[in-house]
Amino acid sequence: MKNIHKILIAFIGVLAVSCNSDDVENRPVIQPVTAPVLLSPQNDFNIVLTKEKEKEIATTVIWNDAKYDGTATVVNYTIEIAKAGTKFAAPIAVTTTTARFKALTVAELNSALVNGGFVEKEENNVDIRIKSTVGTGAEAQYSNFYTIKATPYHVPLASSHWLVGAATPGGWSWDGDAETEFPLVVGKTNVYQVKVVLKSGEAFREFLSNDFTSGGNWGASNSRNFPYYSGLGYTIDSELVNAGDGDSNFKYTGPTGLRTLTIDNGAKTITVD
């Protein structure tokens, strides 16, 4: 009796495997029929992106649906960008959706551009298209493409400090990108360095953070002046002196020109090279 049960179990198992195999073999193959058609944005689109507007909509990408033959399934659409003229040899995926349109914020588009190696603060020619896919094995389809123009903004490092003042290119202003980013040296945790054009006879101040508004971060608790460093025993370059301007800012006394300012908080030195 036990042997009969074993034989029945084995038979049922073989039958189940056979049925599953038949199901796989008979499953309809999904074939591409019509590629999506990109409708917007088109070649006349040109945008200058700014951090102040990062939450606003930069553009809404719109396309017609792709069509496939076979069992109905969800179609995924990926917005891709690439450097103009490269034939999408190294496309950047901006985002994926199942809808046939997607509103991109300024921050989303800027991030894709920066990650794709486009030049910050310069107008770039950008090819844009739609990629459609279904399931795992069906052939992808690609839309037509348009070449748009976009100017991405610089994405500063969270650890950066900032220089503001008449001695710097942006003057005493936080408008736009007026302030000068003062970043950490790569691989260091306490050395800040920047190449910047310094104007002779003018003052500047170091700020620890930036809220990226035109009002700026003027608070004394957010900044460091000449006495802050001299009081801690830093060795300060002879071309930098106390401005004596009421806020005791740094005053640059060297020749106007491109200089390298370095604050080494480990060695406790401030140099201008």
Short mmCIF file of all heavy atoms in Angstrom, two decimals, residues 143-172:
data_model
loop_
_atom_site.label_atom_id
_atom_site.label_comp_id
_atom_site.label_asym_id
_atom_site.label_seq_id
_atom_site.Cartn_x
_atom_site.Cartn_y
_atom_site.Cartn_z
N SER A 143 11.81 56.20 -28.45
CA SER A 143 11.10 57.23 -29.17
C SER A 143 12.04 58.03 -30.07
O SER A 143 13.26 57.83 -30.06
CB SER A 143 10.43 58.18 -28.18
OG SER A 143 11.41 59.02 -27.57
N ASN A 144 11.46 58.96 -30.80
CA ASN A 144 12.24 60.00 -31.45
C ASN A 144 12.91 60.84 -30.36
O ASN A 144 12.59 60.70 -29.17
CB ASN A 144 11.32 60.88 -32.29
CG ASN A 144 10.19 61.48 -31.43
OD1 ASN A 144 9.51 60.75 -30.71
ND2 ASN A 144 10.00 62.79 -31.52
N PHE A 145 13.83 61.70 -30.72
CA PHE A 145 14.45 62.56 -29.71
C PHE A 145 14.45 64.01 -30.18
O PHE A 145 14.35 64.30 -31.37
CB PHE A 145 15.88 62.10 -29.40
CG PHE A 145 16.89 62.41 -30.48
CD1 PHE A 145 17.60 63.60 -30.48
CD2 PHE A 145 17.14 61.49 -31.51
CE1 PHE A 145 18.52 63.89 -31.48
CE2 PHE A 145 18.06 61.76 -32.50
CZ PHE A 145 18.76 62.97 -32.49
N TYR A 146 14.54 64.90 -29.20
CA TYR A 146 14.71 66.32 -29.48
C TYR A 146 15.98 66.78 -28.75
O TYR A 146 16.43 66.15 -27.78
CB TYR A 146 13.51 67.14 -29.00
CG TYR A 146 12.27 66.94 -29.83
CD1 TYR A 146 11.17 66.25 -29.32
CD2 TYR A 146 12.19 67.43 -31.13
CE1 TYR A 146 10.01 66.06 -30.09
CE2 TYR A 146 11.05 67.25 -31.91
CZ TYR A 146 9.97 66.56 -31.38
OH TYR A 146 8.86 66.37 -32.15
N THR A 147 16.54 67.88 -29.23
CA THR A 147 17.72 68.46 -28.59
C THR A 147 17.31 69.76 -27.92
O THR A 147 16.94 70.74 -28.59
CB THR A 147 18.83 68.73 -29.61
OG1 THR A 147 19.19 67.50 -30.25
CG2 THR A 147 20.07 69.30 -28.91
N ILE A 148 17.34 69.75 -26.60
CA ILE A 148 16.96 70.93 -25.83
C ILE A 148 18.22 71.61 -25.31
O ILE A 148 19.33 71.05 -25.38
CB ILE A 148 16.03 70.56 -24.66
CG1 ILE A 148 16.77 69.64 -23.66
CG2 ILE A 148 14.77 69.88 -25.17
CD1 ILE A 148 15.97 69.32 -22.41
N LYS A 149 18.06 72.80 -24.76
CA LYS A 149 19.19 73.53 -24.16
C LYS A 149 18.90 73.71 -22.67
O LYS A 149 17.80 74.08 -22.29
CB LYS A 149 19.39 74.89 -24.83
CG LYS A 149 19.75 74.79 -26.32
CD LYS A 149 19.98 76.17 -26.92
CE LYS A 149 20.21 76.08 -28.41
NZ LYS A 149 21.40 75.28 -28.75
N ALA A 150 19.91 73.43 -21.85
CA ALA A 150 19.73 73.56 -20.39
C ALA A 150 21.03 74.00 -19.75
O ALA A 150 22.11 73.53 -20.12
CB ALA A 150 19.27 72.23 -19.80
N THR A 151 20.89 74.91 -18.78
CA THR A 151 22.04 75.40 -18.02
C THR A 151 21.88 74.96 -16.57
O THR A 151 21.04 75.52 -15.84
CB THR A 151 22.13 76.94 -18.08
OG1 THR A 151 22.20 77.35 -19.45
CG2 THR A 151 23.36 77.44 -17.32
N PRO A 152 22.64 73.94 -16.14
CA PRO A 152 22.51 73.48 -14.74
C PRO A 152 23.27 74.38 -13.78
O PRO A 152 24.24 75.03 -14.15
CB PRO A 152 23.12 72.07 -14.79
CG PRO A 152 24.10 72.13 -15.92
CD PRO A 152 23.55 73.11 -16.92
N TYR A 153 22.81 74.39 -12.54
CA TYR A 153 23.52 75.15 -11.52
C TYR A 153 24.48 74.23 -10.76
O TYR A 153 24.37 73.01 -10.80
CB TYR A 153 22.55 75.83 -10.55
CG TYR A 153 21.56 74.91 -9.86
CD1 TYR A 153 21.89 74.20 -8.70
CD2 TYR A 153 20.25 74.75 -10.34
CE1 TYR A 153 20.98 73.38 -8.06
CE2 TYR A 153 19.34 73.94 -9.71
CZ TYR A 153 19.70 73.25 -8.57
OH TYR A 153 18.81 72.43 -7.93
N HIS A 154 25.41 74.85 -10.10
CA HIS A 154 26.39 74.10 -9.31
C HIS A 154 25.75 73.57 -8.03
O HIS A 154 25.01 74.29 -7.36
CB HIS A 154 27.57 75.00 -8.96
CG HIS A 154 28.56 74.35 -8.02
ND1 HIS A 154 29.28 73.23 -8.35
CD2 HIS A 154 28.92 74.67 -6.75
CE1 HIS A 154 30.05 72.88 -7.34
NE2 HIS A 154 29.85 73.73 -6.36
N VAL A 155 26.02 72.33 -7.72
CA VAL A 155 25.53 71.73 -6.48
C VAL A 155 26.68 71.73 -5.47
O VAL A 155 27.62 70.94 -5.59
CB VAL A 155 25.03 70.29 -6.70
CG1 VAL A 155 24.52 69.70 -5.39
CG2 VAL A 155 23.93 70.27 -7.75
N PRO A 156 26.64 72.62 -4.50
CA PRO A 156 27.75 72.72 -3.55
C PRO A 156 27.81 71.54 -2.59
O PRO A 156 26.81 70.86 -2.36
CB PRO A 156 27.46 74.02 -2.79
CG PRO A 156 25.98 74.14 -2.86
CD PRO A 156 25.58 73.60 -4.21
N LEU A 157 28.99 71.33 -2.03
CA LEU A 157 29.16 70.29 -1.02
C LEU A 157 28.57 70.77 0.30
O LEU A 157 28.68 71.95 0.65
CB LEU A 157 30.65 69.97 -0.84
CG LEU A 157 31.38 69.46 -2.09
CD1 LEU A 157 32.88 69.38 -1.82
CD2 LEU A 157 30.84 68.10 -2.51
N ALA A 158 27.97 69.86 1.02
CA ALA A 158 27.35 70.22 2.30
C ALA A 158 28.39 70.72 3.30
O ALA A 158 28.07 71.50 4.21
CB ALA A 158 26.61 69.02 2.88
N SER A 159 29.63 70.30 3.15
CA SER A 159 30.69 70.66 4.10
C SER A 159 31.34 72.00 3.78
O SER A 159 32.19 72.48 4.54
CB SER A 159 31.76 69.58 4.11
OG SER A 159 32.30 69.40 2.80
N SER A 160 30.98 72.62 2.66
CA SER A 160 31.66 73.84 2.22
C SER A 160 31.38 75.03 3.12
O SER A 160 30.30 75.15 3.71
CB SER A 160 31.24 74.20 0.79
OG SER A 160 31.78 73.29 -0.14
N HIS A 161 32.37 75.91 3.22
CA HIS A 161 32.20 77.23 3.80
C HIS A 161 32.06 78.22 2.63
O HIS A 161 32.10 77.81 1.47
CB HIS A 161 33.39 77.60 4.70
CG HIS A 161 33.42 76.82 5.98
ND1 HIS A 161 34.35 77.02 6.97
CD2 HIS A 161 32.62 75.83 6.44
CE1 HIS A 161 34.12 76.20 7.98
NE2 HIS A 161 33.08 75.47 7.68
N TRP A 162 31.91 79.52 2.95
CA TRP A 162 31.62 80.49 1.89
C TRP A 162 32.37 81.79 2.16
O TRP A 162 32.57 82.18 3.31
CB TRP A 162 30.12 80.76 1.82
CG TRP A 162 29.36 79.50 1.59
CD1 TRP A 162 28.92 78.61 2.53
CD2 TRP A 162 29.04 78.92 0.33
NE1 TRP A 162 28.34 77.52 1.94
CE2 TRP A 162 28.39 77.68 0.59
CE3 TRP A 162 29.21 79.34 -0.99
CZ2 TRP A 162 27.93 76.86 -0.43
CZ3 TRP A 162 28.74 78.52 -2.01
CH2 TRP A 162 28.11 77.30 -1.72
N LEU A 163 32.79 82.46 1.07
CA LEU A 163 33.47 83.75 1.17
C LEU A 163 32.59 84.83 0.55
O LEU A 163 32.09 84.66 -0.57
CB LEU A 163 34.81 83.71 0.44
CG LEU A 163 35.80 82.63 0.89
CD1 LEU A 163 37.07 82.70 0.03
CD2 LEU A 163 36.15 82.78 2.37
N VAL A 164 32.38 85.89 1.30
CA VAL A 164 31.56 87.01 0.82
C VAL A 164 32.30 88.30 1.16
O VAL A 164 32.86 88.43 2.25
CB VAL A 164 30.17 87.02 1.48
CG1 VAL A 164 29.35 88.22 1.00
CG2 VAL A 164 29.42 85.72 1.16
N GLY A 165 32.32 89.25 0.24
CA GLY A 165 32.96 90.53 0.53
C GLY A 165 33.45 91.20 -0.74
O GLY A 165 33.52 90.58 -1.81
N ALA A 166 33.79 92.47 -0.63
CA ALA A 166 34.22 93.27 -1.78
C ALA A 166 35.50 92.74 -2.41
O ALA A 166 35.77 93.02 -3.58
CB ALA A 166 34.41 94.72 -1.36
N ALA A 167 36.28 91.98 -1.66
CA ALA A 167 37.51 91.41 -2.20
C ALA A 167 37.24 90.23 -3.13
O ALA A 167 38.12 89.81 -3.88
CB ALA A 167 38.44 90.97 -1.07
N THR A 168 36.03 89.68 -3.07
CA THR A 168 35.66 88.51 -3.88
C THR A 168 34.86 88.93 -5.11
O THR A 168 34.31 90.04 -5.14
CB THR A 168 34.84 87.51 -3.05
OG1 THR A 168 33.56 88.08 -2.75
CG2 THR A 168 35.56 87.16 -1.75
N PRO A 169 34.76 88.08 -6.11
CA PRO A 169 34.06 88.44 -7.35
C PRO A 169 32.59 88.85 -7.15
O PRO A 169 32.08 89.70 -7.88
CB PRO A 169 34.15 87.17 -8.19
CG PRO A 169 35.40 86.50 -7.71
CD PRO A 169 35.43 86.77 -6.24
N GLY A 170 31.91 88.27 -6.16
CA GLY A 170 30.49 88.56 -5.96
C GLY A 170 30.19 89.72 -5.05
O GLY A 170 29.03 90.11 -4.90
N GLY A 171 31.22 90.30 -4.44
CA GLY A 171 31.01 91.43 -3.54
C GLY A 171 30.26 91.02 -2.27
O GLY A 171 30.19 89.85 -1.90
N TRP A 172 29.66 92.03 -1.62
CA TRP A 172 28.89 91.77 -0.39
C TRP A 172 27.46 91.37 -0.75
O TRP A 172 26.51 92.14 -0.50
CB TRP A 172 28.90 93.01 0.51
CG TRP A 172 30.23 93.31 1.11
CD1 TRP A 172 31.10 94.29 0.75
CD2 TRP A 172 30.84 92.61 2.19
NE1 TRP A 172 32.23 94.25 1.54
CE2 TRP A 172 32.10 93.22 2.43
CE3 TRP A 172 30.47 91.52 2.98
CZ2 TRP A 172 32.98 92.79 3.42
CZ3 TRP A 172 31.35 91.09 3.97
CH2 TRP A 172 32.58 91.71 4.19
#
